[in-house]
Amino acid sequence: MKTSRWWQRFPIISFLLGVWLPAWIMAQTTPPTQGTTSPKPQNDRLQFRLVGYPRKHNEGRIEVFYKGEWGTICDDDFSLSNANVLCRQLGFVSATGWTHSAKYGKGLGKIWLDNVQCNGGEKSIELCKSRGWGNSDCTHDEDAGVICKDERLPGFVDSNVIDVQVDEDRVEEVRLRSVVPTKKMPVTEGVVEIKYKDGWAQICDVGWTPKNTRVICGMLGFPHERKVNKNFYKARLRKRAAEREARAKVNVSAAARLPPKANVKPITSGLKKRLPPKANVKPITSGLKKRLNTERQKHQYRLHSVACVGTEVHLAACPLESNKGNATGSCDGGMPAVVSCVPGPQYVQNNGLKKKQLKTTSTVRLKGGAKLGEGRVEVLKNNEWGTVCDDRWTLLSASVVCRELGFGSAKEALTGARMGEGMGPIHMNEVQCLGTEKSMWNCGFKNITSEDCQHLEDAAVRCNTPYMALENSIRLTGGRTRYEGRVEVLSTEANGTGSWGLICGGAWGTKEAMVACRQLGLGYANNGLQETWYWDSSNVTEMVMSGVKCTGSEMSLSHCHHHRTISCQKTAAKFSAGVICSETASDLVLNAPLVQQSVYIEDRPLHMLYCAAEENCLSKSAASANWPYGHRRLLRFSSQIHNIGRADFRPKAGRHSWVWHACHGHYHSMDIFTHYDLLSSNGTKVAEGHKASFCLEDTECHEGISKRYECANFGEQGITVGCWDLYRHDIDCQWIDITDIKPGNYILQIVINPNFEVAESDFTNNAMKCNCKYDGHRIWLHNCHMGDAFSEEAERKFEKYPGQLNNQIS
């Protein structure tokens, strides 16, 4: 007879030892499996950086500094949600993509994280699931990279190495809740609320100062603050509290009269047989319980002390005192903080504000931005616009610019020509503002020489702008990505309801697409399309807008001219308007001084002009000339066209539609690229150049930039960012035929991309003008400048007739 062991006499103990003990041993000896654990949050502050090559400032291999050593993240299980968390930790608003297989080169040292799985809402990558710190089966061939949206979170400095500490109490989002019902946008007055957990909390106004209000208004996109009628709000809030308390008492009384819970049947029980199988009907008790909780809620005060100095760009930068722990508290002797802000003139809607309050500067402007309130900073000095060098460029100085222009405080102070390079002079360097100045010209700065700065260092800003909810009335459908599709707009019926509708594609072009992309918050327009049959995935078929005509600067399509009643020749949905948007765009400008320096007159024999005549580069009278005898008088000059934008300039047409020109031995990729015109003093065109189609290529580039486009051998055509295309004065068709022109004073005008065939970030700098004097034998040019380079006063002196600013001659 076998003797049993003591634990075998007790079945429960035997079971525990048989099941629990082996599991416990395995847990102690087996390394963590992928995707099952979260790295333990560290007390040491993590650091993040983007590295690798080639890359832009907002993309690269992601590296983490942990336990005194930089390391990478493996691309196993990597996702856009992971990239979103990392981009936010790097100070960007979100991610637009991610890369695998060491696209930006292989890192060195540790691979700190592997099999990372985030849901996208985590405040730190260390809170996501992974194999744990330093536990990886990857090699550096699998290093992950991220591509972040080129827009900074409020309060982040523009640095590549970001020192991160997760702060649950950090204030990120602020809003104004209007107490008085209104449909007008933007909301300029109301209760200040901060994002808290899944809802919103208030700020106790005890000790509240106008400086606090200034910071709040700046964050929300308003340049100024004004005094609020506190007694009105105190009475209004007290009345609402009383109404809320009365409703709560009624509901509590009603709940008390209900039978005991055991005897209460959900309302669904009686209806169950009569409802469809998947009907989602909740018991009446659950809805009542939710209402009771809502009625009992009072104001949630998360912050009870705010002490801003008034120059902060974000509430989080002010000294704050919050209630301890995760709780909200009361506000003894006070009420919710209420502020009233003054909008800039761009956002005023007949609200009775004095004109003096709305006056903005005429000596500072923003250029090259995709939306209102962002761009390269330019200042006016001696009647000529110039840029600002980015040395010591800070959020304080950027905020002075933003408020001066009628916006709020600055979200970002951008360096390194992030909004494209300017042309012409650089007027200021080492701008140092305190944040209280009314104009940047009141700040300390240095006058510079050409050796101090280059346009690669042009400063730019992104300003806080008021929320207008414009994106809620437009959408794209059918596209492969969120950046493209058929445009649908929300039209409001007489009864106040909305239905979505289409826009007639007739006359729809680049400028209209620019406004649509801006309204959607998707950057610049890459293309405006008049047919969208390939994006036919929506059941919306009715045209609700037609005849849309925009200048390109509007905030919304509703601000553009359009027909009062629909008038569309092709009403089928496939002929509705569409867009392709882009985060970046090209920007072409002409080197005006080179035109002035290179001009001269040539009398060219007709027998040397057969190719030019074939390409229609001579005036009409040449057709009746005695070929091949005689000559034509030609006004010659060089054209150097720079791309100072942030994307390559590419012809709209593909290679299959390029035209071969045998005389000159190359393909022409654009039908119309540049107009050369000679204008009389009243704006009448007296002579023109017919350089209608060009071959686009990189002639030269700035140091460190490689040429990408070359016309020879059916090569790709375009102009790379930071490069220029040079058409020398001695090549065919680089002239205006002035054979029939009498001596006198004229204006020479050159317009690049005159039909807006290819999208650019800025069309106002596409025209160049010069004063021209011709005595019948010689010619002089002076005051050559881009169309937007002079002050309004100087421009009025230059020309006293209409038609030049929009490049259209009547």
Side-chain angles (χ1 to χ4, degrees), residues 150-300:
D150 188 13
E151 185 175 339
R152 286 287 190 183
L153 287 169
F156 269 91
V157 294
D158 194 13
S159 169
N160 188 41
V161 179
I162 304 295
D163 196 9
V164 173
Q165 183 176 25
V166 177
D167 183 3
E168 295 293 339
D169 289 331
R170 177 181 170 86
V171 176
E172 289 190 359
E173 196 172 346
V174 176
R175 75 176 185 184
L176 283 187
R177 178 173 56 83
S178 179
V179 174
V180 181
T182 178
K183 291 184 179 180
K184 287 186 177 181
M185 296 296 286
V187 176
T188 60
E189 185 172 300
V191 175
V192 182
E193 296 189 327
I194 60 174
K195 189 77 173 177
Y196 177 61
K197 294 185 177 178
D198 293 329
W200 296 87
Q202 290 80 40
I203 303 175
C204 181
D205 75 341
V206 174
W208 189 264
T209 68
K211 292 179 179 179
N212 297 344
T213 301
R214 176 177 171 81
V215 173
I216 296 292
C217 289
M219 283 181 64
L220 297 173
F222 304 111
H224 307 293
E225 69 286 352
R226 56 184 171 182
K227 192 174 181 180
V228 70
N229 186 346
K230 192 172 179 179
N231 290 331
F232 167 80
Y233 280 94
K234 189 178 291 185
R236 189 92 179 185
L237 293 170
R238 188 182 294 121
K239 181 180 178 182
R240 283 197 173 185
E243 291 172 350
R244 195 162 50 237
E245 186 68 25
R247 285 197 302 270
K249 287 179 180 179
V250 170
N251 290 332
V252 169
S253 176
R257 291 195 298 271
L258 288 173
K261 184 177 180 181
N263 296 328
V264 177
K265 293 182 180 180
I267 193 170
T268 53
S269 61
L271 298 174
K272 200 168 188 179
K273 294 180 181 178
R274 299 196 297 271
L275 291 173
K278 293 185 179 180
N280 185 20
V281 180
K282 295 181 180 178
I284 193 170
T285 51
S286 65
L288 179 59
K289 188 181 293 183
K290 187 174 181 180
R291 285 199 305 274
L292 290 176
N293 289 336
T294 303
E295 297 295 351
R296 286 173 181 147
Q297 281 182 352
K298 296 181 179 180
H299 293 297
Q300 296 186 28

